[in-house]
């Protein structure tokens, strides 16, 4: 066989203009509710996000005292997955653009 | 955190009641798929509350899956409970080990959480739930879910667990189980719930009261306890005993007489009862069963017994329960309840 020219040279239409899709960070925000136990919320943060006890506790207390806390930041789709996981656990989570 | 199996101590009768709640949860989920049920909406919140389009897109692609997973979790929990549900007369109240496999812990907790969210949602839509617990007959849902709401304690964990200070917690038993899952505490004291029994006056309403085990919590708020206030409104002077579960009846000290200073304030009277309750029925007072309270509250004639001594032995028991009064098949449990009542009565010192 050896080296040979490619059989076909597909006509690629490369879009190199990535400015149209900026890597805008999004956030998952967990909101306070009167139902979920604090220890449960900490547990969810720890098991799902893998946060340390201290970090999870801090987030939980932020939710409790400030009414909400940003628990994750990243691409929108990932954040939606996280939000849905939070909904799975019965936490009230929303997704928003960072800085909004 | 979930490396090991968790073992709960649970009596078959409890497993059965819990399983029925989960059954109801499944029904709520199944019937609320089309939307419109706020309780189901609470299980599937919108991640984009300010963006209707994005919200609808998200919902269209995730809602069904989310509810499917709730149903599957509920199923996991049901099958975990199924081993305990078989009710045999003599064993209904005998606690046994219920082993929850490590991989089932999360489904259990998600189900319990979903259950509590549904309860909370139902509760929020009911106007009278705060001060006056809804009885089954008056609840809008007419279900065990509504009834469980009415049995909730207020701040049972305030002094026990440093993180939990919220005063609006749904049902005690669910929390108790949940707390055991979280903390695997060996036993969790739950507030005694009693029924204030009017003094031989047919027609006076019986009233559920919660006997606050931590009076300083309440005093700290600087306001009158709601239960005491309610007792007062209802003519506290005529209420002379509080019936606890399974035949335990505690006397309530006399109320002030209209003209003089003799007697005690409603708060102090209740406090006295609480102390007696905690003392006389340690540890297992949390076993207030929905059906029992149901019957205590609704059965006519509980205060028709002429003599206190006789009442103390027999009044709030369920020996002569009304069969067929519940539509959901609760009579299956009734026999077992009676059996355990007898045993508990033998064990408990009544005053």
């Amino acid at each position: 066989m050896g080296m040979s020219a490619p059989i076909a040279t597909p006509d690629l239409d490369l879009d190199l203009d990535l400015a149209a899709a900026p890597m805008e960070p999004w956030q998952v925000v967990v909101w306070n509710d009167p139902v979920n136990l604090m220890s449960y919320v900490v547990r969810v943060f720890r098991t799902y996000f893998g946060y340390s006890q201290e970090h999870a506790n801090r987030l939980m207390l932020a939710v409790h005292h400030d009414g909400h806390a940003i628990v994750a930041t990243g691409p929108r789709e990932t954040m939606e997955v996280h939000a849905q996981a939070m909904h799975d656990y019965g936490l009230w989570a929303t997704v928003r653009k960072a800085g909004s | 955190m979930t490396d090991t199996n968790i073992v709960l101590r649970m009596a078959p009768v409890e497993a059965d009641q819990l399983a029925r709640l989960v059954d109801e949860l499944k029904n709520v989920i199944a019937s609320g798929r089309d939307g419109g049920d706020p309780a189901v909406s609470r299980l599937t919140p919108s991640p984009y509350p300010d963006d209707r389009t994005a919200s609808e897109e998200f919902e269209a692609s995730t809602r069904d899956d989310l509810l499917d997973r709730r149903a599957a979790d509920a199923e996991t929990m049901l099958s975990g409970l199924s081993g305990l549900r078989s009710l045999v007369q003599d064993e209904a109240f005998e606690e046994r080990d219920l082993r929850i496999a490590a991989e089932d812990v999360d489904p259990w907790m998600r189900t319990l959480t979903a259950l509590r969210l549904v309860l909370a949602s139902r509760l929020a839509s009911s106007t009278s739930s705060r001060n006056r617990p809804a009885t089954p007959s008056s609840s809008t849902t007419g279900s065990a879910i509504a009834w469980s709401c009415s049995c909730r304690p207020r701040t049972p964990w305030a002094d026990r667990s440093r993180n939990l200070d919220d005063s609006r917690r749904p049902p005690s038993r669910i929390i108790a189980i949940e707390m055991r899952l979280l903390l695997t505490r060996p036993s969790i004291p739950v507030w005694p719930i009693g029924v204030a029994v009017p003094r031989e006056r047919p027609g006076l309403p019986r009233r559920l009261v919660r006997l606050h085990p931590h009076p300083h919590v309440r005093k700290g708020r600087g306001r009158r306890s709601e239960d005491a206030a309610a007792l007062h409104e209802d003519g506290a002077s005529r209420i002379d005993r509080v019936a606890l579960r399974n035949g335990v009846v505690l006397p309530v000290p006399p109320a002030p007489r209209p003209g003089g200073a003799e007697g005690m304030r409603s708060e102090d009277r209740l406090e006295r009862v609480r102390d007696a309750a905690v003392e006389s029925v340690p540890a297992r007072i949390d076993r207030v069963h929905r059906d029992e309270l149901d019957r205590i509250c609704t059965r006519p004639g509980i205060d028709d017994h002429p003599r206190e001594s006789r009442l103390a032995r027999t009044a709030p028991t369920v020996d002569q329960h009304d069969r067929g009064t519940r539509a959901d098949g609760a009579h299956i449990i009734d026999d077992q309840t009676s059996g355990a009542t007898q045993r508990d009565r033998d064990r408990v010192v009544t005053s």
Side-chain angles (χ1 to χ4, degrees), chain B residues 238-258:
Chain B
R238 288 172 296 183
I239 292 175
D240 61 353
R241 53 191 175 260
V242 169
L244 299 181
R245 56 182 277 272
N246 287 347
V248 183
V249 174
L250 298 165
V252 178
R257 291 188 182 152

Side-chain angles (χ1 to χ4, degrees), chain B residues 141-192:
Chain B
T141 61
S143 67
I145 282 185
W147 177 228
S148 300
C149 285
S150 70
C151 295
R152 77 211 154 117
R154 283 202 200 102
T155 57
W157 321 113
D159 299 335
R160 303 277 167 182
S161 170
R162 40 183 198 286
N163 282 339
L164 306 169
D165 63 355
D166 201 298
S167 62
R168 295 156 294 175
R169 296 302 185 201
S172 57
R173 187 56 188 151
I174 294 177
I175 291 181
I177 293 165
E178 197 163 34
M179 291 301 292
R180 282 191 224 177
L181 287 173
L182 285 166
L183 307 175
T184 58
R185 283 170 182 275
S187 99
I188 296 158
V190 176
W191 295 8

Side-chain angles (χ1 to χ4, degrees), chain A residues 9-93:
Chain A
T9 47
D11 185 14
L12 291 177
D13 185 12
L14 292 176
D15 182 2
L16 296 176
D17 181 14
L18 293 179
M23 280 302 289
E24 239 179 340
W26 288 65
Q27 298 169 333
V28 178
V29 183
V30 169
W31 299 82
N32 192 25
D33 70 59
V35 174
N36 285 309
L37 298 171
M38 290 170 160
S39 43
Y40 176 72
V41 175
V42 169
R43 185 183 189 281
V44 170
F45 289 166
R46 291 200 65 193
T47 52
Y48 179 76
F49 291 112
Y51 291 154
S52 69
Q53 177 76 44
E54 293 71 32
H55 189 48
N57 217 43
R58 208 161 40 238
L59 286 174
M60 178 278 293
L61 287 175
V63 171
H64 185 68
H65 293 304
D66 307 337
H68 66 279
I70 298 159
V71 298
T73 307
R76 179 172 182 172
E77 292 70 24
T78 315
M79 295 306 103
E80 285 189 343
V81 170
H82 288 338
Q84 216 200 346
M86 292 299 103
H87 296 171
D88 258 331
Y89 282 103
L91 304 192
W92 178 22

Side-chain angles (χ1 to χ4, degrees), chain B residues 28-39:
Chain B
V28 167
I29 291 172
S31 61
R33 289 236 174 203
D34 308 333
D37 187 341

Side-chain angles (χ1 to χ4, degrees), chain B residues 154 207 209-210 218 224-234 236 265-271:
Chain B
R154 283 202 200 102
R207 170 174 288 287
V209 294
R210 278 159 289 240
R218 192 185 68 221
R224 185 178 202 147
S225 109
E226 285 167 1
D227 288 326
L231 268 191
H232 194 72
E233 281 166 22
D234 273 7
R265 297 183 313 143
S266 300
E267 287 94 331
D268 297 331
R269 296 167 69 208
L270 269 190
E271 227 161 78

Side-chain angles (χ1 to χ4, degrees), chain B residues 81-317:
Chain B
L81 286 168
S82 63
L84 260 188
R85 277 187 89 175
S86 59
L87 288 176
V88 182
Q89 167 101 22
D90 295 336
E91 298 167 357
F93 278 75
E94 263 170 35
E95 289 194 344
R96 286 183 246 163
D97 284 350
L98 174 63
R99 201 168 295 275
I100 304 173
E103 66 266 24
D104 287 347
V105 169
D106 274 339
W108 268 69
M109 298 196 68
R110 284 194 295 261
T111 305
L112 288 170
T113 300
L115 191 53
R116 294 199 297 112
L117 288 173
V118 170
L119 293 172
S121 170
R122 288 277 185 273
L123 203 60
S125 58
S126 137
T127 52
S128 63
S129 53
R130 187 65 188 158
N131 293 339
R132 292 156 193 261
T135 56
S137 54
S138 69
S139 74
T140 48
T141 61
S143 67
I145 282 185
W147 177 228
S148 300
C149 285
S150 70
C151 295
R152 77 211 154 117
R154 283 202 200 102
T155 57
W157 321 113
D159 299 335
R160 303 277 167 182
S161 170
R162 40 183 198 286
N163 282 339
L164 306 169
D165 63 355
D166 201 298
S167 62
R168 295 156 294 175
R169 296 302 185 201
S172 57
R173 187 56 188 151
I174 294 177
I175 291 181
I177 293 165
E178 197 163 34
M179 291 301 292
R180 282 191 224 177
L181 287 173
L182 285 166
L183 307 175
T184 58
R185 283 170 182 275
S187 99
I188 296 158
V190 176
W191 295 8
I193 301 174
V195 179
V197 184
R199 183 196 298 269
E200 292 170 22
R201 298 268 178 98
L204 259 188
R206 279 174 285 271
R207 170 174 288 287
L208 275 180
V209 294
R210 278 159 289 240
L211 307 171
H212 201 310
H214 306 300
H216 58 276
V217 173
R218 192 185 68 221
K219 281 176 180 163
R221 289 193 208 134
R223 62 187 177 90
R224 185 178 202 147
S225 109
E226 285 167 1
D227 288 326
L231 268 191
H232 194 72
E233 281 166 22
D234 273 7
S237 61
R238 288 172 296 183
I239 292 175
D240 61 353
R241 53 191 175 260
V242 169
L244 299 181
R245 56 182 277 272
N246 287 347
V248 183
V249 174
L250 298 165
V252 178
R257 291 188 182 152
E262 197 186 335
M264 306 165 73
R265 297 183 313 143
S266 300
E267 287 94 331
D268 297 331
R269 296 167 69 208
L270 269 190
E271 227 161 78
R272 190 70 73 80
V273 177
R274 183 206 66 235
D275 292 343
V278 171
E279 222 167 86
S280 71
V281 198
R284 296 252 41 91
I285 198 66
D286 60 329
R287 294 261 303 272
V288 177
H289 295 296
R290 176 163 44 86
D291 293 336
E292 282 173 45
L293 275 180
D294 185 329
R295 246 172 273 113
I296 291 172
C297 294
T298 56
R299 206 183 108 204
I302 178 177
D303 50 354
D304 291 342
H305 296 273
R307 281 175 300 129
E308 171 107 10
S309 57
R310 185 174 167 214
L311 183 109
R313 283 198 305 274
T314 62
T317 66

